[in-house]
Amino acid sequence: MQLFRCPRTHGPHLERRYLLRWRWAAQTERADHFLEHPPEVPLLRWEDELPEPCVVHPEEVDTYPWAEDDTLPAALIARIDAWDDARTAEGGRDAPNYQGALSIPPGWRVGGFPSWASTGPMDITCASCRAPMRLLLTAGGDEMDPDSHSWMPLEDRDPSQQGIASIRGGQAVTEPTRLRFGRDRDLHVFTCPTDPGHPPQWVLS
């Protein structure tokens, strides 16, 4: 699967346009070919319109649903809220919380659950068949942030520091692709589980 983003904005609301393409793995070019000569786009208004060439080092992690509205049973959400309050009272702003430190990691990820930090939970249904859509991919501007430093790789931590202060490496580590998807937002790509030919939906949250 390849995700394309037009480097320019469109319309009166400066909207981004995306394109999803499915390809046979055997027919694709080698990744190192793409990294040899980064594309040159001469008329970019902002630096974050052109991605920084980089490679992916995937790892498998368990994720859990966003805890708001009816994404989980009400009694369980109440227990999570009480746990969060107790951690904050005990450890202050560096204390772990369910949403940021335990349920959904920041950054780019395949599958799992969407983060609804900016919009609140949304029902995403296929425009063609009305089936509930499935999260395929999340593209995030940051691979780590102050609310989710528990997900940070050990090699990017300063062992002499704790919590947020332990993040090291600068922008190359925290924002490796250099792409932004709106102010503190992730781009969620939803696809139809009944027919991959149905149009995907792009959700910023």
Side-chain angles (χ1 to χ4, degrees):
M1 186 275 293
Q2 289 180 292
L3 174 65
F4 296 89
R5 180 174 92 155
C6 180
R8 308 196 188 285
T9 54
H10 299 267
H13 302 293
L14 302 181
E15 298 174 356
R16 293 288 188 184
R17 292 185 180 173
Y18 302 92
L19 184 66
L20 197 65
R21 281 285 181 263
W22 295 97
R23 303 184 185 277
W24 292 105
Q27 298 174 351
T28 60
E29 299 181 72
R30 292 180 55 188
D32 56 3
H33 171 77
F34 293 111
L35 299 178
E36 287 177 358
H37 305 288
E40 296 181 6
V41 183
L43 298 176
L44 295 178
R45 294 175 62 187
W46 295 287
E47 184 182 55
D48 62 7
E49 291 176 332
L50 184 67
E52 182 73 20
C54 59
V55 295
V56 175
H57 300 284
E59 59 181 320
E60 187 174 348
V61 298
D62 292 324
T63 62
Y64 300 93
W66 189 259
E68 187 179 352
D69 295 345
D70 58 355
T71 59
L72 289 170
L76 180 55
I77 291 180
R79 289 177 57 193
I80 290 171
D81 289 343
W83 184 86
D84 281 345
D85 291 342
R87 298 288 78 74
T88 301
E90 178 182 337
R93 64 189 297 263
D94 273 351
N97 62 76
Y98 173 80
Q99 306 284 43
L102 301 176
S103 65
I104 302 172
W108 292 66
R109 52 194 181 273
V110 176
F113 298 96
S115 168
W116 298 115
S118 300
T119 63
M122 302 168 62
D123 291 325
I124 310 298
T125 56
C126 178
S128 299
C129 67
R130 308 309 300 169
M133 301 189 85
R134 185 177 302 157
L135 179 64
L136 170 71
L137 173 74
T138 297
D142 298 319
E143 287 295 314
M144 60 191 73
D145 58 54
D147 291 330
S148 57
H149 56 270
S150 64
W151 297 97
M152 182 172 45
L154 294 177
E155 59 267 26
D156 297 323
R157 294 175 183 258
D158 181 346
S160 67
Q161 302 291 327
Q162 295 293 321
I164 300 169
S166 67
I167 298 176
R168 67 181 181 184
Q171 185 178 15
V173 169
T174 59
E175 300 178 12
T177 65
R178 201 173 59 185
L179 290 175
R180 305 297 298 176
F181 298 93
R183 184 176 178 83
D184 298 325
R185 291 188 171 191
D186 291 336
L187 172 69
H188 298 306
V189 182
F190 288 87
T191 55
C192 179
T194 62
D195 188 341
H198 288 172
Q201 289 202 37
W202 322 97
V203 179
L204 282 171
S205 70

